[in-house]
Amino acid sequence: MPSLEERLRNARNDVDGMNRLQAAKGHVIVAGANVAIPNKEERKQVEETPADVFKAIEVDGDDDVPVRFLLVSEGPQDDDLRLTIDGVTISDPQLIVSGYVGSLTVGNGNNSDFLTTGFRKVAVTRDQAIAAGANWALGATVKVDVFDGWGPGVRTATWNVMIDFSSGRFTQKTGGTSSSGTSRSFTPDPVPSDYYTTGPHFFDYHENGSFELN
Protein backbone atom coordinates (compact mmCIF):
# COMPACT_ATOMS: atom_id res chain seq x y z
CA MET A 1 0.00 0.00 0.00
CA PRO A 2 1.38 3.46 -0.89
CA SER A 3 2.60 5.53 2.03
CA LEU A 4 0.76 8.67 3.17
CA GLU A 5 3.45 10.79 1.53
CA GLU A 6 3.06 8.95 -1.79
CA ARG A 7 -0.74 9.26 -1.71
CA LEU A 8 -0.54 12.99 -0.99
CA ARG A 9 2.06 13.51 -3.71
CA ASN A 10 -0.12 11.63 -6.23
CA ALA A 11 -3.18 13.64 -5.26
CA ARG A 12 -1.22 16.89 -5.45
CA ASN A 13 0.11 16.06 -8.90
CA ASP A 14 -3.39 15.13 -10.05
CA VAL A 15 -4.85 18.45 -8.91
CA ASP A 16 -2.04 20.48 -10.47
CA GLY A 17 -2.30 18.56 -13.72
CA MET A 18 -6.04 19.08 -13.81
CA ASN A 19 -5.59 22.80 -13.20
CA ARG A 20 -3.14 23.01 -16.12
CA LEU A 21 -5.57 21.22 -18.39
CA GLN A 22 -8.36 23.60 -17.41
CA ALA A 23 -6.22 26.65 -18.08
CA ALA A 24 -4.73 25.45 -21.36
CA LYS A 25 -7.66 23.61 -22.95
CA GLY A 26 -10.75 25.13 -21.39
CA HIS A 27 -12.13 21.87 -20.04
CA VAL A 28 -14.13 21.34 -16.88
CA ILE A 29 -16.04 24.52 -17.58
CA VAL A 30 -19.42 24.60 -15.82
CA ALA A 31 -22.24 26.46 -17.57
CA GLY A 32 -25.57 25.71 -15.97
CA ALA A 33 -25.79 21.93 -15.89
CA ASN A 34 -23.32 21.41 -18.75
CA VAL A 35 -19.85 20.14 -17.88
CA ALA A 36 -17.01 19.38 -20.29
CA ILE A 37 -15.03 16.37 -19.06
CA PRO A 38 -11.42 15.71 -20.18
CA ASN A 39 -11.18 12.89 -22.68
CA LYS A 40 -9.13 9.72 -22.18
CA GLU A 41 -5.92 11.15 -23.60
CA GLU A 42 -6.17 14.32 -21.53
CA ARG A 43 -6.88 12.28 -18.40
CA LYS A 44 -3.77 10.20 -19.19
CA GLN A 45 -1.74 13.42 -19.26
CA VAL A 46 -3.03 14.28 -15.78
CA GLU A 47 -2.20 10.84 -14.41
CA GLU A 48 1.31 11.06 -15.86
CA THR A 49 2.04 14.49 -14.38
CA PRO A 50 5.69 14.36 -13.23
CA ALA A 51 6.38 14.19 -9.51
CA ASP A 52 8.36 17.45 -9.52
CA VAL A 53 5.50 19.53 -10.95
CA PHE A 54 5.13 21.42 -7.65
CA LYS A 55 8.31 23.50 -7.87
CA ALA A 56 9.30 26.27 -5.49
CA ILE A 57 7.45 29.57 -6.00
CA GLU A 58 9.34 32.82 -5.70
CA VAL A 59 7.95 35.27 -3.16
CA ASP A 60 9.20 38.61 -1.89
CA GLY A 61 11.71 38.41 0.95
CA ASP A 62 14.06 35.72 2.17
CA ASP A 63 11.67 33.95 4.56
CA ASP A 64 10.52 30.39 3.90
CA VAL A 65 6.75 30.90 3.70
CA PRO A 66 3.80 28.59 2.91
CA VAL A 67 2.72 29.05 -0.71
CA ARG A 68 -0.09 26.49 -1.09
CA PHE A 69 -1.67 23.42 0.36
CA LEU A 70 -3.61 20.40 -0.83
CA LEU A 71 -6.21 18.80 1.43
CA VAL A 72 -7.25 15.23 0.57
CA SER A 73 -10.31 13.65 2.18
CA GLU A 74 -10.12 10.03 3.28
CA GLY A 75 -13.87 9.49 2.98
CA PRO A 76 -17.07 11.20 1.83
CA GLN A 77 -17.58 14.78 3.05
CA ASP A 78 -21.36 14.99 2.66
CA ASP A 79 -21.84 17.35 0.99
CA ASP A 80 -18.67 19.44 0.54
CA LEU A 81 -15.90 21.34 2.35
CA ARG A 82 -15.48 24.96 3.40
CA LEU A 83 -12.06 26.30 4.38
CA THR A 84 -11.60 29.57 6.26
CA ILE A 85 -8.82 31.62 7.88
CA ASP A 86 -9.97 33.84 10.75
CA GLY A 87 -13.52 33.73 9.42
CA VAL A 88 -12.53 34.59 5.84
CA THR A 89 -13.63 31.96 3.32
CA ILE A 90 -10.87 30.74 1.01
CA SER A 91 -12.78 27.79 -0.49
CA ASP A 92 -16.49 26.90 -0.37
CA PRO A 93 -17.80 25.23 -3.59
CA GLN A 94 -21.12 24.18 -1.95
CA LEU A 95 -21.56 21.19 -4.26
CA ILE A 96 -23.60 18.07 -3.58
CA VAL A 97 -21.43 15.10 -2.59
CA SER A 98 -22.36 13.28 -5.83
CA GLY A 99 -21.41 16.29 -7.96
CA TYR A 100 -17.63 16.09 -7.90
CA VAL A 101 -14.71 13.67 -8.14
CA GLY A 102 -11.78 14.89 -6.09
CA SER A 103 -11.28 18.47 -7.31
CA LEU A 104 -13.22 17.95 -10.55
CA THR A 105 -16.83 19.15 -10.87
CA VAL A 106 -18.87 16.54 -12.76
CA GLY A 107 -22.47 17.68 -12.19
CA ASN A 108 -25.10 16.64 -9.65
CA GLY A 109 -25.54 12.89 -9.47
CA ASN A 110 -22.67 12.00 -11.79
CA ASN A 111 -20.55 10.46 -9.04
CA SER A 112 -22.93 7.75 -7.87
CA ASP A 113 -20.02 6.01 -6.10
CA PHE A 114 -19.36 8.94 -3.75
CA LEU A 115 -19.35 6.65 -0.71
CA THR A 116 -16.29 4.78 -1.97
CA THR A 117 -14.46 6.99 -4.47
CA GLY A 118 -13.94 10.57 -5.66
CA PHE A 119 -13.52 12.03 -2.17
CA ARG A 120 -13.11 15.81 -2.02
CA LYS A 121 -9.68 17.36 -2.69
CA VAL A 122 -9.08 21.08 -2.20
CA ALA A 123 -6.00 23.01 -3.35
CA VAL A 124 -5.53 26.64 -2.25
CA THR A 125 -2.61 28.92 -3.09
CA ARG A 126 -1.23 31.85 -1.13
CA ASP A 127 -2.29 34.26 -3.88
CA GLN A 128 -5.85 32.91 -3.93
CA ALA A 129 -6.22 33.22 -0.15
CA ILE A 130 -4.80 36.76 -0.05
CA ALA A 131 -7.08 37.78 -2.95
CA ALA A 132 -10.03 36.52 -0.88
CA GLY A 133 -8.95 38.82 1.96
CA ALA A 134 -7.49 36.17 4.26
CA ASN A 135 -4.53 36.79 6.56
CA TRP A 136 -2.37 34.06 5.02
CA ALA A 137 0.80 33.83 7.10
CA LEU A 138 3.13 31.31 8.68
CA GLY A 139 1.25 29.79 11.62
CA ALA A 140 -2.20 30.88 10.45
CA THR A 141 -5.00 28.43 11.27
CA VAL A 142 -7.12 27.00 8.47
CA LYS A 143 -10.52 25.85 9.74
CA VAL A 144 -12.22 22.93 7.99
CA ASP A 145 -16.03 22.65 7.93
CA VAL A 146 -18.31 20.19 6.16
CA PHE A 147 -21.05 21.89 4.13
CA ASP A 148 -24.48 20.22 4.11
CA GLY A 149 -26.99 21.48 1.55
CA TRP A 150 -29.09 18.41 0.83
CA GLY A 151 -30.78 16.04 3.28
CA PRO A 152 -31.55 13.79 4.85
CA GLY A 153 -28.03 12.94 6.11
CA VAL A 154 -24.63 14.49 6.73
CA ARG A 155 -21.20 12.84 6.85
CA THR A 156 -17.76 13.98 7.87
CA ALA A 157 -14.46 12.25 7.15
CA THR A 158 -10.82 12.46 8.17
CA TRP A 159 -8.36 14.25 5.90
CA ASN A 160 -4.68 14.70 5.12
CA VAL A 161 -3.06 17.95 4.08
CA MET A 162 0.27 18.71 2.43
CA ILE A 163 1.62 22.26 2.77
CA ASP A 164 4.22 23.53 0.27
CA PHE A 165 6.76 26.24 1.14
CA SER A 166 8.68 28.71 -1.00
CA SER A 167 11.90 26.77 -0.40
CA GLY A 168 10.42 23.63 -1.96
CA ARG A 169 10.02 21.75 1.31
CA PHE A 170 6.63 20.51 2.50
CA THR A 171 4.92 19.39 5.70
CA GLN A 172 2.08 16.91 6.24
CA LYS A 173 -0.79 17.00 8.72
CA THR A 174 -3.90 14.94 9.45
CA GLY A 175 -7.19 15.85 11.05
CA GLY A 176 -10.96 15.64 11.00
CA THR A 177 -13.30 12.92 12.25
CA SER A 178 -15.43 10.26 10.58
CA SER A 179 -19.09 10.52 11.52
CA SER A 180 -22.61 10.37 10.10
CA GLY A 181 -25.93 11.77 11.22
CA THR A 182 -29.16 13.50 10.26
CA SER A 183 -29.16 16.89 8.56
CA ARG A 184 -30.08 19.79 10.82
CA SER A 185 -32.42 21.33 8.28
CA PHE A 186 -35.74 20.07 6.96
CA THR A 187 -35.83 17.58 4.09
CA PRO A 188 -39.19 17.12 2.30
CA ASP A 189 -40.94 13.78 2.67
CA PRO A 190 -41.49 12.50 0.10
CA VAL A 191 -38.40 13.95 -1.57
CA PRO A 192 -39.26 15.75 -4.85
CA SER A 193 -37.95 14.11 -8.02
CA ASP A 194 -35.64 17.06 -8.76
CA TYR A 195 -34.41 17.51 -5.20
CA TYR A 196 -30.87 16.19 -5.78
CA THR A 197 -30.41 17.88 -9.17
CA THR A 198 -31.30 21.35 -7.86
CA GLY A 199 -30.17 23.30 -4.83
CA PRO A 200 -28.44 23.65 -2.39
CA HIS A 201 -31.66 23.68 -0.38
CA PHE A 202 -30.05 24.85 2.87
CA PHE A 203 -26.62 25.99 4.09
CA ASP A 204 -25.47 24.16 7.21
CA TYR A 205 -21.85 23.75 8.33
CA HIS A 206 -20.30 21.20 10.68
CA GLU A 207 -16.84 21.66 12.19
CA ASN A 208 -14.30 19.08 11.07
CA GLY A 209 -10.95 20.14 12.48
CA SER A 210 -8.25 22.62 11.56
CA PHE A 211 -4.55 22.87 10.75
CA GLU A 212 -1.82 25.49 10.92
CA LEU A 213 0.24 26.73 8.01
CA ASN A 214 3.60 25.57 9.34
Side-chain angles (χ1 to χ4, degrees):
M1 176 179 294
S3 66
L4 170 61
E5 179 178 336
E6 290 173 328
R7 286 187 287 128
L8 281 169
R9 281 191 182 279
N10 290 339
R12 183 173 62 174
N13 290 343
D14 185 75
V15 169
D16 188 72
M18 189 66 70
N19 287 339
R20 289 190 290 108
L21 281 182
Q22 292 174 30
K25 302 187 179 182
H27 287 279
V28 201
I29 301 301
V30 181
N34 298 320
V35 181
I37 305 299
N39 61 35
K40 182 177 180 181
E41 178 58 30
E42 291 163 351
R43 179 60 191 172
K44 185 171 182 287
Q45 293 175 31
V46 172
E47 293 171 345
E48 293 179 352
T49 301
D52 64 350
V53 70
F54 263 54
K55 297 178 181 177
I57 293 178
E58 292 185 5
V59 296
D60 294 334
D62 298 326
D63 295 336
D64 185 20
V65 299
V67 293
R68 60 196 148 200
F69 66 78
L70 171 66
L71 185 148
V72 180
S73 300
E74 294 192 315
Q77 311 278 9
D78 188 353
D79 287 289
D80 210 335
L81 287 181
R82 176 180 69 178
L83 305 179
T84 59
I85 297 177
D86 292 333
V88 176
T89 299
I90 59 175
S91 179
D92 189 15
Q94 297 182 341
L95 297 181
I96 193 169
V97 68
S98 64
Y100 56 83
V101 175
S103 63
L104 175 65
T105 299
V106 297
N108 290 13
N110 287 330
N111 178 18
S112 58
D113 297 324
F114 65 86
L115 288 175
T116 58
T117 190
F119 306 140
R120 180 49 107 186
K121 302 174 185 176
V122 183
V124 178
T125 68
R126 176 177 180 266
D127 288 347
Q128 289 170 339
I130 291 175
N135 183 23
W136 175 288
L138 183 65
T141 297
V142 180
K143 186 172 180 287
V144 182
D145 297 307
V146 171
F147 165 73
D148 184 26
W150 291 261
V154 59
R155 294 181 179 86
T156 69
T158 55
W159 43 262
N160 303 304
V161 66
M162 179 178 285
I163 305 169
D164 284 282
F165 290 79
S166 55
S167 65
R169 73 181 180 92
F170 65 89
T171 59
Q172 299 173 167
K173 301 173 185 289
T174 60
T177 60
S178 295
S179 67
S180 62
T182 302
S183 296
R184 292 179 188 149
S185 296
F186 173 74
T187 302
D189 186 14
V191 175
S193 60
D194 65 346
Y195 182 78
Y196 294 108
T197 57
T198 59
H201 300 290
F202 46 83
F203 299 85
D204 293 337
Y205 292 91
H206 302 258
E207 294 184 0
N208 196 27
S210 64
F211 63 92
E212 293 186 353
L213 295 174
N214 55 27

